[in-house]
Each structure stands twice: as structure tokens, then as C-alpha cells.
Amino acid sequence: MDFKNISFTILTKNSEKTIKATLESLQDFEEVLIYDNGSTDETIKIAKTYNNTKVFEGVFEGFGKTHNTASSLAKNDWIFSIDSDEILSPGLIQELLRLKLEENTVYAVSRKNFYNGKWIHSCGWHPDFQYRLYNRRKTCFTNAEVHEQIKVNLAQIKYLSQPLFHTSYQNLSDFLSKMQHYSELFAKENAGRKRSSPWKALLHGSFAFFKSYFLKNGVTNGYEGFVISSYNGITAFYKYLKLFEKNQSLKEASKKSVLSKD
């Protein structure tokens, strides 16, 4: 396969800590498209030092819609969506080189997730297959604010054998900032459509920790497994607590609207 057939798309915002390693792993490809959503650090400056990288700037409309916007700007129909904290393994590059692309196929890639320099094989973090390579004339991302996915529809799914390396969380601060971001997006997306309560938030949070730490063997990953399981529980708790507050706000606004009409 000719590498010129694939465009890589990356959404960025303040990704200076990880974007260099990502772009280093993509130097053999002709087009890498960065779609930046308001970085205030060195992300764009770093990206522009690579000859195969094109940088666009635009607003963030939720992950699904923004991925589709980035895809529409690419030169090629074949899109490999990669995050700014992911690195193509040498094995995956070679596998892509040998790959014969089939239009009605979506290709899934396994991620090897790392935290604290350790590969996390528990907590649901492995094998962590993600749909990443697709033909934009045949499919696209869902419009979900968060937990977006490529629509597989009636497409055939093929699983590549070589991994992406994923270094999303460098320290505890990364967990906290992502918890804030993802819980807010979840509450915004589900406000008025899904019920919640403080007790429901507590139940979801407790079960998420139990599932990650015990059912998905987080206990076997030592300190890192405990931190990740705690993050999963706390994120679930705040997702539903924020949703409860947003639903309450909608109810209050609705009452005020009715009273004003009377």
C-alpha cells in the first residue's frame, strides 16, 4: 500500500507535552492534519516544524462533530484518526504498509495504555480496540459530544494486530483535568434526556470503582491500578451528579417560563 492513500487527523488543544512524540511516529506519511481547538501553549508551533503536517484552527463542537470537520479537510478519503497522545508502534507502521485497503471496511487498532511509565493491562485498558481507519466516503464519526465512535453500519470490521502506544495520563493532574472535561460533556449531552440523582451518582461511582478494581483486575496493577479505578469511580460519580444539577436547572427554567406566561 502507498502511504499517500492515508491522511492522519489529530484534534489538539494544549497538547505540547505529547504531540511531538505523536508526530515523530507519523513522519513516513505524506499528510498529517492537525485541527486545533484553541491551544495557548506550544502545540501549533511544534506541529508546524514537521513538513508533512498541515495545521487548521477551529472551534470545538464536541468530539464527534469536530472529528468529522477535521476529516473533511483532509486530502485523502482514507482517514486514520489518531489522538495527540498516541504513538504508532513500528510494528503498526509496517502493518499499514502491507495493508490492502477495502472500501467497505473499518479497521480497529489495539491500544497499549501507559500510566506512570507502566503498561496497564487491567482496568479495562487492554486490549482496548478502537475503530481508527476508515473511508470517509463510506462512513464518519457519530455526533456524540464524548465517547464518539466511527459508525460501522454494515461495514466489515478488521482488527489490526499491532498496537498504538497511548500515554494519555502523565500524572494525577491529568486525571483530574480529564475528569472535569469528560464529566461536563456527559452532563451537557444528556441533560433533559436521562434521569439522575445524588443516589444514582453514588451508585454509578461505587460500581465503576468495583468493576475496574476487582472485576477488571485493577488490583493486579498495584498503585496504578488503584489510581485508575478510583478515577473511573470518581468520574462516574461526578458525571451523574453534574447531570442531576443540569436537570434541576432545566426544571427551574421550565417553571419560570410557565409562571411568566401566566
Side-chain angles (χ1 to χ4, degrees), residues 117-135:
K118 296 180 181 180
W119 172 38
I120 307 300
H121 51 74
S122 64
C123 303
W125 277 26
H126 183 74
D128 192 24
F129 275 102
Q130 304 284 327
Y131 302 137
R132 288 307 178 88
L133 177 58
Y134 66 99
N135 191 304

Side-chain angles (χ1 to χ4, degrees), residues 144-159:
E145 293 270 349
V146 66
H147 299 312
E148 74 291 353
Q149 280 197 339
I150 294 166
K151 299 176 184 177
V152 294
N153 302 325
L154 299 177
Q156 181 181 5
I157 307 300
K158 287 194 175 180
Y159 294 86

Side-chain angles (χ1 to χ4, degrees), residues 111-127 218 221 224-225 228:
R111 293 195 298 187
K112 290 188 75 169
N113 295 287
F114 293 83
Y115 173 56
N116 242 8
K118 296 180 181 180
W119 172 38
I120 307 300
H121 51 74
S122 64
C123 303
W125 277 26
H126 183 74
N221 257 129
E224 288 76 19
I228 293 164

Side-chain angles (χ1 to χ4, degrees), residues 84-230:
S84 62
D85 52 15
E86 294 175 340
I87 301 167
L88 259 68
S89 65
L92 181 55
I93 293 173
Q94 292 305 310
E95 188 172 13
L96 290 173
L97 178 61
R98 298 189 299 268
L99 188 63
K100 293 182 179 179
L101 295 170
E102 301 172 17
E103 278 197 356
N104 291 312
T105 300
V106 172
Y107 296 87
V109 182
S110 173
R111 293 195 298 187
K112 290 188 75 169
N113 295 287
F114 293 83
Y115 173 56
N116 242 8
K118 296 180 181 180
W119 172 38
I120 307 300
H121 51 74
S122 64
C123 303
W125 277 26
H126 183 74
D128 192 24
F129 275 102
Q130 304 284 327
Y131 302 137
R132 288 307 178 88
L133 177 58
Y134 66 99
N135 191 304
R136 68 181 177 189
R137 292 191 293 110
K138 299 295 182 179
T139 189
C140 62
F141 277 87
T142 63
N143 285 330
E145 293 270 349
V146 66
H147 299 312
E148 74 291 353
Q149 280 197 339
I150 294 166
K151 299 176 184 177
V152 294
N153 302 325
L154 299 177
Q156 181 181 5
I157 307 300
K158 287 194 175 180
Y159 294 86
L160 302 182
S161 62
Q162 298 300 311
L164 281 169
F165 298 141
H166 188 212
T167 57
S168 182
Y169 303 97
Q170 307 291 321
N171 49 47
L172 289 175
S173 295
D174 288 342
F175 279 107
L176 293 174
S177 62
K178 293 202 174 188
M179 180 273 292
Q180 168 67 11
H181 184 54
Y182 287 129
S183 60
E184 191 65 28
L185 288 175
F186 172 85
K188 178 183 174 183
E189 184 175 35
N190 291 283
R193 293 190 285 178
K194 182 179 286 192
R195 293 181 180 180
S196 188
S197 69
W199 284 111
K200 191 170 185 178
L202 182 61
L203 181 64
H204 274 277
S206 300
F207 181 71
F209 173 82
F210 178 82
K211 181 180 179 181
S212 178
Y213 197 59
F214 294 106
L215 301 184
K216 294 193 172 182
N217 298 317
V219 65
T220 65
N221 257 129
Y223 169 75
E224 288 76 19
F226 176 75
V227 170
I228 293 164
S229 298
S230 298

